[in-house]
Amino acid sequence: MCGIAGILGHCKDRREIVRAMVTAIAHRGPDGEGIYDDGLAALGHRRLAIIDLSESAAQPMGNEDGSIQIVYNGEVYNFEELRAGLLEKGHRFKSKGDTEVLVHLYEELGENFVKELNGMFAFALWDSRKKKLIIARDRFGQKPLFYAMAGEALVFASEIKSILMHPGVPRRVSPHAVDTLMTINFVPAPGSFYEDIHRLMPGHIMVVESGSAPKIRSFVSEPPPRDLKISYEDAVQEVDRLFSAAVQRQLVSDVPVGVFASGGIDSTLILAKLRDLGKQELSAFSLGFHEASHSELPYAQQAAKLLGTPLFALMFDAAGLREPELLLNVFDEPFADIAALPTYALARAARPHITVALTGDGGDEIFGGYEHHLVAYWIDKLRLGRKPRAAIARGVANLIPIDVQFRGYLRTLKRGFEALGCEGFQESTRLIRASIGPRERARLYTRDYQQLLGSADPWGALLPPHAEQLESLFGIGHDRIFSDMFLMKSDMASMAVGLETRSPFLDVPLIDFAARLPIEHLVGGVHGKKPLRTLLARRVDQSLADRRKMGFAPPVDDWLRAELAPLLQDTVLAQGALVAAYVERAEVARMFRDHRDRKANYRRPLWALLLLELWLRRERAHERAHLGDRDVVSVSSSQPAKGAAKTAD
């Protein structure tokens, strides 16, 4: 895993700019640096050495005559099979890693070689003979890739901070991104918080040929129908076989490997597989909270003890959130997933011991482990008609008193019954996953900001096509929240300390099999992830398999009422707060009071506003340092972000 950057097109001081771009992301690759520049294309690379630690594997890497060059970030887990096939066809290799395989595979298959890759990647490949640049991002979005235009030149990099090192890239704030942040706590591809900087969509490839505009297309096929005729027991056995193969593939490394053990089903299954493979000596790392209602650490300790796995435990408290500016340094934009700082803290604690960590990312998405999966399943099953179903569901929801919003299981139950009363899957998904809804947005946003937004939908293309079909809500193919929030968090937080994370559940054969399983094999009763629960009960412990999902999030609810309250008052609630360009200060103050007094739970919008305020202050300081006192947050002078509510292609 590494950091990449580059420029295609003529611009002054191109090589020096690329060097500054890779220096800005040196944390992603502390083991080396390389630059290629032929006068038209410049590619930069920062290396985190994982497989083949020799100089033969350094990047940029070329073919035999140097006409093809690549900078690459990620791991391709089937590289050994691909390499063997290329050797049979006469290709010769100087290194033992996966990077060179991509170069020769392109020589064989052209642009479509990306379809053969089982892994996580973001790369830029330059074919100097054809004057063609190809940049691509893996099908699930595990590796980030940003791009922008600087005049006539295309600029690309692993992180926004690298893009901003190019002096020709505008630094304009996207006002539509504020609405998206407040609604879902992050900005999905193809947008960003900068109007002129875009993310390449997961599973997409951009091709730029000399004299032509960039062409972006998906290289991923539509998910197959869930028509596999298989018994539940046979399905469990096949999941077990494919998962074992995935874990074994992802253990390939020339540096120390460990596991992030949350105590949940997915990471515990990884620990069980390590035992089966005779690798139980690999260390696990877990993070807990002093508040028992939020901490899964005891379950991680229980699993480690049962499986004989060494476990390092880290405790996280409110002091860890007192420097939210750290998140801005990591993500370069407001990113309001509450678990981001604990994830960073865990990676930082693990880094002195390991360079690669296996994670349980993807298990919930593939096997239906979330609340919205259960709600959609029961909406489909309870074919009473919307009105009687809604009446029953809302009646039950009203019986659950509002103060239990602060007690995890009953809060989930109340929200679940409210969702059962929704019109359909789209409405229920918005209710469950949104930070604020339409009514809160109408009260919170200023009149000027509402006029600028018009009828724009912050969900944009986040909900899948055919979202009223139950099958469309299962799997990863259309789950942009997973790709653009959860996987972005995992990559950026870990690579900030030079640690690579790998996700066995995102192995392509496993996902392709799970995508064809009938929904009834995934969800039933009050639980999702049926095959994984079955395997965990058989291999480890029934009590761990029967646990409800907790999630990896600190008790920010209470911390915002106590330890973090002064921070809110000094920023979001202060006179002259920059967020006042978008939100009504009186409404923000009311939200804070109601949250403090436990009349409502506004932890997500309050945390998002805090990060937004700090980011706007940073942007204003930068603009004043470089451009004088120009106002960079005025809503009336801003334009809608390009691509903010539409796909890249």
Side-chain angles (χ1 to χ4, degrees):
M1 189 162 320
C2 309
I4 67 172
I7 301 171
L8 176 63
H10 298 288
C11 69
K12 184 181 179 182
D13 301 324
R14 181 178 52 246
R15 188 179 187 90
E16 289 72 19
I17 293 172
V18 170
R19 187 174 302 281
M21 291 173 69
V22 294
T23 299
I25 51 174
H27 51 275
R28 297 186 71 93
D31 299 326
E33 177 182 297
I35 294 176
Y36 165 89
D37 185 1
D38 66 5
L40 180 57
L43 308 179
H45 185 261
R46 289 293 309 196
R47 184 185 185 193
L48 177 62
I50 301 291
I51 299 174
D52 188 350
L53 309 184
S54 72
E55 282 301 308
S56 297
Q59 299 182 46
M61 181 175 285
N63 59 351
E64 292 88 342
D65 65 6
S67 62
I68 297 170
Q69 297 285 328
I70 192 171
V71 286
Y72 156 67
N73 168 31
E75 304 289 347
V76 171
Y77 304 120
N78 62 335
F79 81 95
E80 292 178 326
E81 303 98 282
L82 295 171
R83 178 190 175 100
L86 290 165
L87 284 169
E88 290 180 0
K89 294 181 178 181
H91 292 268
R92 294 294 176 261
F93 293 83
K94 64 178 182 180
S95 66
K96 298 178 181 178
D98 53 349
T99 306
E100 197 174 4
V101 171
L102 274 64
V103 174
H104 292 288
L105 198 61
Y106 168 75
E107 290 181 308
E108 279 293 322
L109 302 176
E111 298 168 14
N112 288 328
F113 83 94
V114 292
K115 296 181 179 180
E116 305 299 316
L117 307 180
N118 175 11
M120 54 182 183
F121 56 83
F123 67 78
L125 184 148
W126 172 240
D127 187 332
S128 62
R129 289 178 178 172
K130 296 181 178 179
K131 300 293 186 287
K132 177 193 290 188
L133 177 73
I134 300 170
I135 67 174
R137 190 176 176 206
D138 67 80
R139 64 188 280 188
F140 309 123
Q142 296 179 76
K143 297 289 99 194
L145 191 55
F146 297 86
Y147 65 94
M149 297 302 298
E152 298 299 316
L154 175 71
V155 184
F156 57 88
S158 296
E159 297 185 14
I160 290 174
K161 61 174 63 70
S162 181
I163 297 272
L164 291 173
M165 295 307 294
H166 193 299
V169 175
R171 203 172 176 129
R172 291 178 291 192
V173 177
S174 165
H176 278 67
V178 173
D179 183 31
T180 309
L181 173 76
M182 294 307 303
T183 303
I184 56 174
N185 295 145
F186 69 103
V187 178
S192 81
F193 245 85
Y194 296 94
E195 184 176 341
D196 300 281
I197 299 178
H198 311 284
R199 302 170 213 263
L200 189 65
M201 296 269 284
H204 279 62
I205 182 171
M206 175 192 288
V207 180
V208 190
E209 298 190 69
S210 181
S212 300
K215 297 178 181 178
I216 301 176
R217 61 178 173 85
S218 171
F219 61 82
V220 180
S221 302
E222 284 294 310
R226 290 189 176 273
D227 58 0
L228 188 62
K229 305 299 182 184
I230 188 172
S231 69
Y232 177 71
E233 180 57 33
D234 287 346
V236 170
Q237 294 298 325
E238 184 63 4
V239 167
D240 191 28
R241 184 188 72 81
L242 291 171
F243 185 59
S244 295
V247 172
Q248 193 156 20
R249 270 192 288 269
Q250 297 198 18
L251 286 173
V252 175
S253 172
D254 293 329
V255 293
V257 179
V259 182
F260 284 171
S262 68
I265 290 171
D266 307 326
S267 62
T268 302
L269 273 177
I270 294 175
L271 297 180
K273 283 300 170 191
L274 293 180
R275 179 192 62 182
D276 294 346
L277 295 169
K279 300 285 187 179
Q280 64 265 36
E281 79 281 358
L282 297 183
S283 296
F285 299 84
S286 188
L287 182 144
F289 309 108
H290 295 291
E291 295 80 356
S293 61
H294 285 72
S295 183
E296 292 188 290
L297 179 58
Y299 304 107
Q301 292 170 325
Q302 178 185 354
K305 183 176 181 180
L306 288 169
L307 295 165
T309 303
L311 180 70
F312 293 82
L314 172 70
M315 298 304 294
F316 189 89
D317 58 23
L321 293 180
R322 285 180 181 153
E323 295 182 304
E325 295 91 344
L326 179 61
L327 284 179
L328 303 182
N329 296 333
V330 171
F331 292 94
D332 304 322
E333 60 182 351
F335 183 84
D337 184 335
I338 292 170
L341 270 173
T343 302
Y344 170 81
L346 180 61
R348 183 174 56 187
R351 184 61 178 90
H353 308 278
I354 59 174
T355 311
V356 176
L358 304 185
T359 79
D361 289 341
D364 288 301
E365 288 73 17
I366 299 166
F367 292 101
Y370 287 120
E371 179 186 352
H372 69 273
H373 291 129
L374 280 171
V375 168
Y377 174 80
W378 283 110
I379 287 177
D380 185 67
K381 286 293 182 184
L382 298 175
R383 298 183 180 276
L384 303 174
R386 192 192 72 82
K387 289 186 178 179
R389 185 190 73 227
I392 295 171
R394 289 170 181 164
V396 174
N398 289 336
L399 292 175
I400 303 174
I402 194 169
D403 62 0
V404 303
Q405 289 185 46
F406 307 101
R407 300 175 195 154
Y409 184 74
L410 289 177
R411 180 183 66 197
T412 300
L413 188 65
K414 181 181 181 71
R415 191 167 56 176
F417 274 108
E418 289 173 342
L420 280 174
C422 290
E423 183 75 31
F425 301 150
Q426 282 208 35
E427 185 184 342
S428 66
T429 300
R430 288 171 183 252
L431 173 67
I432 290 172
R433 306 186 84 165
S435 178
I436 59 173
R439 284 179 295 181
E440 289 91 349
R441 291 170 69 220
R443 293 197 302 264
L444 179 61
Y445 296 161
T446 65
R447 181 175 300 177
D448 286 346
Y449 188 43
Q450 292 187 54
Q451 289 177 348
L452 182 145
L453 292 173
S455 60
D457 182 3
W459 287 86
L462 275 177
L463 290 176
H466 319 299
E468 293 308 326
Q469 298 175 9
L470 179 64
E471 290 79 4
S472 71
L473 299 183
F474 286 76
I476 294 179
H478 295 298
D479 195 333
R480 301 276 303 286
I481 293 178
F482 175 66
S483 295
D484 292 335
M485 184 166 75
F486 296 158
L487 292 181
M488 178 67 71
K489 170 186 65 184
S490 181
D491 175 85
M492 300 292 277
S494 61
M495 288 303 291
V497 296
L499 186 143
E500 173 176 294
T501 54
R502 300 177 178 178
S503 306
F505 285 103
L506 299 183
D507 190 70
V508 171
L510 175 62
I511 286 180
D512 287 348
F513 175 73
R516 297 186 59 206
L517 289 176
I519 298 297
E520 289 72 18
H521 284 1
L522 306 180
V523 178
V526 295
H527 288 309
K529 298 199 292 193
K530 286 170 59 178
L532 303 188
R533 291 179 185 275
T534 298
L535 288 173
L536 190 61
R538 293 174 181 176
R539 299 295 179 84
V540 186
D541 184 80
Q542 183 69 53
S543 66
L544 291 174
D546 290 340
R547 284 187 56 231
R548 71 176 182 88
K549 181 175 179 57
M550 288 180 63
F552 182 60
V556 174
D557 315 47
D558 291 329
W559 295 350
L560 287 172
R561 299 185 188 99
E563 296 96 329
L564 298 180
L567 183 59
L568 278 175
Q569 291 165 337
D570 292 341
T571 53
V572 176
L573 298 171
Q575 289 290 336
L578 299 182
V579 291
Y582 304 98
V583 297
E584 298 285 358
R585 292 186 66 254
E587 179 63 15
V588 175
R590 182 199 64 79
M591 292 170 65
F592 174 69
R593 289 194 303 271
D594 285 356
H595 183 86
R596 181 194 60 199
D597 298 340
R598 296 181 178 268
K599 295 179 180 178
N601 191 336
Y602 288 121
R603 72 189 188 283
R604 289 173 64 188
L606 288 174
W607 182 248
L609 284 169
L610 172 61
L611 293 174
L612 176 60
E613 174 66 22
L614 294 173
W615 184 80
L616 290 172
R617 290 184 181 188
R618 190 174 75 168
E619 288 303 297
R620 171 165 284 184
H622 178 273
E623 292 293 337
R624 285 180 170 170
H626 292 81
L627 300 173
D629 291 333
R630 191 181 72 181
D631 188 354
V632 298
V633 298
S634 172
V635 172
S636 60
S637 64
S638 300
Q639 297 297 319
K642 297 175 182 177
K646 59 184 179 182
T647 59
D649 52 353

Coordinates of all heavy atoms in Angstrom, one line a residue, residues 295-335:
S295 N -18.9 -0.4 24.8 CA -17.7 -1.1 24.6 C -17.8 -2.6 24.3 O -18.5 -3.3 25.0 CB -16.8 -0.9 25.8 OG -15.5 -1.5 25.6
E296 N -17.2 -3.0 23.2 CA -17.2 -4.4 22.8 C -15.9 -5.1 23.3 O -15.7 -6.3 22.9 CB -17.4 -4.6 21.3 CG -18.7 -4.2 20.8 CD -18.9 -4.6 19.3 OE1 -18.3 -3.9 18.5 OE2 -19.7 -5.5 19.0
L297 N -15.1 -4.4 24.0 CA -13.8 -4.9 24.4 C -13.9 -6.2 25.2 O -13.2 -7.2 24.9 CB -13.0 -3.9 25.2 CG -11.6 -4.4 25.7 CD1 -10.7 -4.8 24.5 CD2 -10.9 -3.2 26.5
P298 N -14.9 -6.4 26.1 CA -15.0 -7.6 26.8 C -15.2 -8.8 25.9 O -14.7 -9.9 26.2 CB -16.2 -7.4 27.8 CG -16.2 -5.9 28.0 CD -15.8 -5.3 26.7
Y299 N -16.0 -8.6 24.8 CA -16.2 -9.7 23.9 C -15.0 -10.0 23.0 O -14.7 -11.2 22.7 CB -17.4 -9.3 23.0 CG -18.6 -8.9 23.7 CD1 -19.1 -7.6 23.8 CD2 -19.4 -9.9 24.4 CE1 -20.2 -7.3 24.6 CE2 -20.5 -9.6 25.1 CZ -20.9 -8.3 25.2 OH -22.0 -7.9 25.9
A300 N -14.2 -9.0 22.7 CA -12.9 -9.3 22.0 C -12.0 -10.0 22.9 O -11.3 -11.0 22.5 CB -12.3 -7.9 21.6
Q301 N -12.0 -9.7 24.2 CA -11.1 -10.4 25.1 C -11.6 -11.9 25.3 O -10.8 -12.8 25.4 CB -11.1 -9.7 26.5 CG -10.4 -8.4 26.4 CD -10.6 -7.5 27.7 OE1 -11.7 -7.5 28.3 NE2 -9.6 -6.7 28.0
Q302 N -12.9 -12.1 25.3 CA -13.5 -13.4 25.4 C -13.1 -14.2 24.2 O -12.7 -15.4 24.4 CB -15.0 -13.3 25.6 CG -15.7 -14.7 25.6 CD -17.2 -14.6 25.6 OE1 -17.8 -13.5 25.7 NE2 -17.9 -15.7 25.6
A303 N -13.2 -13.7 23.0 CA -12.9 -14.4 21.8 C -11.4 -14.7 21.8 O -11.0 -15.9 21.4 CB -13.3 -13.6 20.6
A304 N -10.6 -13.8 22.1 CA -9.1 -14.0 22.1 C -8.7 -15.1 23.1 O -7.9 -15.9 22.7 CB -8.4 -12.7 22.4
K305 N -9.4 -15.1 24.2 CA -9.0 -16.2 25.2 C -9.5 -17.6 24.7 O -8.7 -18.5 24.8 CB -9.7 -15.9 26.5 CG -9.4 -16.8 27.6 CD -10.1 -16.4 28.9 CE -9.7 -17.4 30.1 NZ -10.4 -17.0 31.3
L306 N -10.7 -17.6 24.1 CA -11.1 -18.9 23.6 C -10.3 -19.4 22.4 O -10.1 -20.6 22.3 CB -12.6 -18.8 23.1 CG -13.7 -18.6 24.1 CD1 -15.0 -18.2 23.5 CD2 -13.8 -19.9 24.9
L307 N -9.7 -18.5 21.6 CA -9.0 -18.9 20.4 C -7.4 -18.9 20.6 O -6.7 -19.2 19.7 CB -9.3 -18.0 19.3 CG -10.8 -18.1 18.8 CD1 -11.2 -16.9 17.9 CD2 -11.0 -19.4 18.1
G308 N -7.0 -18.5 21.8 CA -5.6 -18.4 22.1 C -4.8 -17.4 21.3 O -3.6 -17.5 21.0
T309 N -5.5 -16.2 21.1 CA -4.9 -15.1 20.3 C -4.3 -14.0 21.3 O -5.0 -13.6 22.2 CB -5.9 -14.5 19.4 OG1 -6.5 -15.5 18.6 CG2 -5.3 -13.4 18.6
P310 N -3.1 -13.6 21.1 CA -2.6 -12.5 21.9 C -3.4 -11.2 21.6 O -3.6 -10.9 20.4 CB -1.1 -12.3 21.4 CG -0.8 -13.6 20.7 CD -2.1 -14.1 20.2
L311 N -3.8 -10.5 22.6 CA -4.7 -9.3 22.4 C -4.1 -8.1 23.1 O -3.8 -8.2 24.3 CB -6.1 -9.6 22.9 CG -7.1 -8.4 22.7 CD1 -7.4 -8.2 21.2 CD2 -8.4 -8.6 23.5
F312 N -3.9 -7.0 22.3 CA -3.5 -5.7 22.9 C -4.8 -4.9 23.0 O -5.5 -4.7 22.0 CB -2.5 -5.1 22.0 CG -1.2 -5.8 21.9 CD1 -1.0 -6.9 21.1 CD2 -0.1 -5.4 22.7 CE1 0.2 -7.5 21.0 CE2 1.1 -6.0 22.6 CZ 1.3 -7.1 21.8
A313 N -5.0 -4.3 24.1 CA -6.2 -3.5 24.4 C -5.9 -2.1 24.6 O -4.9 -1.7 25.3 CB -7.0 -4.1 25.5
L314 N -6.7 -1.2 24.0 CA -6.5 0.3 24.2 C -7.8 0.9 24.6 O -8.9 0.5 24.1 CB -6.1 0.9 22.8 CG -6.1 2.4 22.7 CD1 -4.9 3.0 23.6 CD2 -5.9 2.9 21.3
M315 N -7.8 1.7 25.6 CA -9.0 2.4 26.1 C -9.1 3.8 25.5 O -8.0 4.5 25.4 CB -9.0 2.5 27.6 CG -9.1 1.1 28.3 SD -10.4 0.1 27.8 CE -11.9 1.0 28.4
F316 N -10.3 4.2 25.1 CA -10.5 5.5 24.5 C -11.5 6.3 25.3 O -12.6 5.8 25.6 CB -10.9 5.3 23.0 CG -11.0 6.6 22.2 CD1 -9.9 7.0 21.5 CD2 -12.1 7.3 22.1 CE1 -9.9 8.1 20.7 CE2 -12.2 8.5 21.3 CZ -11.1 8.9 20.6
D317 N -11.3 7.6 25.6 CA -12.2 8.4 26.3 C -12.4 9.7 25.6 O -11.9 10.0 24.5 CB -11.8 8.5 27.8 CG -10.5 9.2 27.9 OD1 -10.0 9.9 27.0 OD2 -9.8 9.0 29.0
A318 N -13.2 10.6 26.3 CA -13.5 11.9 25.7 C -12.3 12.7 25.3 O -12.3 13.5 24.4 CB -14.4 12.7 26.6
A319 N -11.2 12.5 26.1 CA -10.0 13.3 25.8 C -9.5 13.0 24.4 O -8.9 13.9 23.7 CB -8.9 12.9 26.8
G320 N -9.8 11.9 23.8 CA -9.4 11.5 22.5 C -10.1 12.3 21.4 O -9.7 12.4 20.2
L321 N -11.2 12.9 21.8 CA -12.0 13.7 20.8 C -11.8 15.2 21.0 O -12.5 16.0 20.3 CB -13.5 13.4 20.9 CG -14.0 12.0 20.5 CD1 -15.5 11.9 20.7 CD2 -13.6 11.7 19.1
R322 N -11.0 15.6 21.9 CA -10.8 17.1 22.2 C -9.9 17.8 21.1 O -9.8 19.0 21.2 CB -10.2 17.2 23.6 CG -11.2 17.0 24.7 CD -10.7 17.2 26.0 NE -11.7 16.9 27.1 CZ -11.4 16.5 28.3 NH1 -10.1 16.3 28.6 NH2 -12.3 16.2 29.2
E323 N -9.4 17.0 20.2 CA -8.6 17.6 19.1 C -9.2 17.2 17.8 O -8.6 16.4 17.0 CB -7.1 17.2 19.2 CG -6.4 17.7 20.4 CD -5.0 17.3 20.5 OE1 -4.7 16.2 20.4 OE2 -4.2 18.3 20.5
P324 N -10.4 17.6 17.5 CA -11.0 17.2 16.2 C -10.3 17.7 15.0 O -10.5 17.2 13.9 CB -12.5 17.7 16.3 CG -12.4 18.8 17.3 CD -11.3 18.4 18.3
E325 N -9.4 18.7 15.2 CA -8.6 19.2 14.1 C -7.8 18.1 13.4 O -7.5 18.1 12.3 CB -7.7 20.3 14.5 CG -8.4 21.6 15.0 CD -8.7 21.6 16.5 OE1 -8.6 20.5 17.1 OE2 -9.0 22.7 17.0
L326 N -7.5 17.1 14.3 CA -6.7 16.0 13.8 C -7.5 15.3 12.6 O -6.8 14.8 11.6 CB -6.5 15.0 14.9 CG -5.7 13.7 14.5 CD1 -4.3 14.0 14.0 CD2 -5.6 12.8 15.7
L327 N -8.8 15.2 12.7 CA -9.6 14.6 11.6 C -9.4 15.4 10.3 O -9.4 14.8 9.3 CB -11.0 14.5 12.0 CG -11.4 13.4 13.0 CD1 -12.9 13.5 13.3 CD2 -11.0 12.0 12.5
L328 N -9.4 16.7 10.5 CA -9.2 17.5 9.3 C -7.9 17.3 8.6 O -7.7 17.3 7.4 CB -9.4 19.0 9.6 CG -10.7 19.4 10.3 CD1 -10.7 20.9 10.5 CD2 -11.9 19.0 9.5
N329 N -6.8 17.1 9.4 CA -5.5 16.8 8.9 C -5.5 15.4 8.2 O -4.8 15.2 7.2 CB -4.5 16.8 10.0 CG -4.3 18.2 10.6 OD1 -4.6 19.2 9.9 ND2 -3.9 18.2 11.9
V330 N -6.3 14.5 8.7 CA -6.3 13.1 8.1 C -7.2 13.1 6.8 O -6.7 12.6 5.8 CB -6.8 12.1 9.1 CG1 -7.1 10.8 8.5 CG2 -5.8 11.9 10.3
F331 N -8.4 13.7 6.9 CA -9.3 13.6 5.8 C -9.4 14.8 4.9 O -10.0 14.7 3.8 CB -10.7 13.3 6.4 CG -10.9 12.0 7.0 CD1 -10.7 11.9 8.4 CD2 -11.2 10.9 6.3 CE1 -10.8 10.6 9.0 CE2 -11.3 9.6 6.9 CZ -11.1 9.5 8.3
D332 N -8.8 15.9 5.3 CA -8.7 17.1 4.4 C -10.1 17.8 4.2 O -10.1 18.8 3.5 CB -8.1 16.8 3.1 CG -6.7 16.2 3.2 OD1 -6.0 16.6 4.1 OD2 -6.4 15.3 2.4
E333 N -11.1 17.3 4.8 CA -12.4 17.9 4.7 C -13.3 17.4 5.9 O -12.9 16.4 6.5 CB -13.1 17.4 3.4 CG -13.2 15.9 3.2 CD -13.9 15.5 1.9 OE1 -14.3 16.4 1.1 OE2 -13.9 14.3 1.6
P334 N -14.4 18.0 6.2 CA -15.2 17.5 7.3 C -15.7 16.1 7.0 O -16.3 15.8 5.9 CB -16.4 18.5 7.3 CG -15.9 19.7 6.6 CD -14.9 19.2 5.6
F335 N -15.4 15.2 7.9 CA -15.8 13.8 7.8 C -16.3 13.4 9.2 O -15.5 13.2 10.1 CB -14.6 12.9 7.4 CG -14.9 11.5 7.2 CD1 -15.4 11.0 6.0 CD2 -14.7 10.6 8.2 CE1 -15.7 9.7 5.8 CE2 -15.0 9.2 8.0 CZ -15.4 8.8 6.8

